[in-house]
């Protein structure tokens, strides 16, 4: 499932696994207090935009989350910024880039601690 989604969306398989580990510890029934759900912790609106009808279906969730990280990579040009956008939202990352510069090192200290930890955790697990 991970391999198929990674291949379909041209994302490194190890990155997809690292995101799943950080987001849900591979629990397909995980749900956050904010409402994100499933293996890749998709928010309801994001899931809908990605065509995911059932966030608890592992195949749909992984395909949707992998498509989303692919979109974030295409938008931001590197995986650290893409991961920051996955966690913090692309609008927040865009605002930070406009204010501080177009790199993770430039915006990192201005991102929430949760996002800083998230990017670091995913990158080191990858």
């Amino acid at each position: 499932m991970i391999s198929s989604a990674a291949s379909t969306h041209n994302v490194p398989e190890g990155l997809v696994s690292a995101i799943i580990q950080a987001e849900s510890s591979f629990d397909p029934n995980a749900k956050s207090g904010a409402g994100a759900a499933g293996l890749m912790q998709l928010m309801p609106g994001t899931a809908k935009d990605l065509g995911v009808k059932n966030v608890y279906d592992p195949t749909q969730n992984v395909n949707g989350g992998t498509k989303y990280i692919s979109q974030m990579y295409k938008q931001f040009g590197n995986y650290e910024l893409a991961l920051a956008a996955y966690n913090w939202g692309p609008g927040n990352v865009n605002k930070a880039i406009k204010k501080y510069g177009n790199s993770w090192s430039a915006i990192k200290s201005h991102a929430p601690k949760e996002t800083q930890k998230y990017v670091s955790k995913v990158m080191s697990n990858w």
Side-chain angles (χ1 to χ4, degrees):
M1 170 180 40
I2 292 169
S3 179
S4 176
S7 177
T8 298
H9 300 290
N10 197 29
V11 174
E13 192 174 322
L15 177 60
V16 177
S17 293
I19 292 170
I20 294 169
Q21 176 64 44
E23 290 288 353
S24 68
S25 296
F26 290 90
D27 177 0
N29 298 311
K31 185 167 185 176
S32 75
L39 287 168
M40 294 188 78
Q41 291 291 283
L42 300 176
M43 292 296 285
T46 303
K48 184 179 178 185
D49 291 345
L50 294 165
V52 176
K53 295 186 185 334
N54 178 359
V55 292
Y56 295 106
D57 177 284
T59 301
Q60 288 185 43
N61 190 288
V62 170
N63 190 58
T66 304
K67 181 178 181 180
Y68 189 56
I69 195 65
S70 175
Q71 291 171 350
M72 294 302 97
Y73 178 76
K74 287 173 186 162
Q75 183 174 344
F76 294 105
N78 74 61
Y79 285 116
E80 288 172 317
L81 290 174
L83 288 165
Y86 192 99
N87 179 264
W88 188 24
N92 290 322
V93 173
N94 272 321
K95 287 177 193 170
I97 285 170
K98 285 178 183 156
K99 194 169 184 179
Y100 304 109
N102 190 18
S103 70
W104 177 238
S105 61
I107 72 165
K108 180 179 179 180
S109 65
H110 306 284
K113 294 287 183 204
E114 173 192 335
T115 300
Q116 293 177 37
K117 289 177 186 175
Y118 176 79
V119 172
S120 176
K121 181 178 185 177
V122 173
M123 292 301 290
S124 64
N125 284 344
W126 179 20

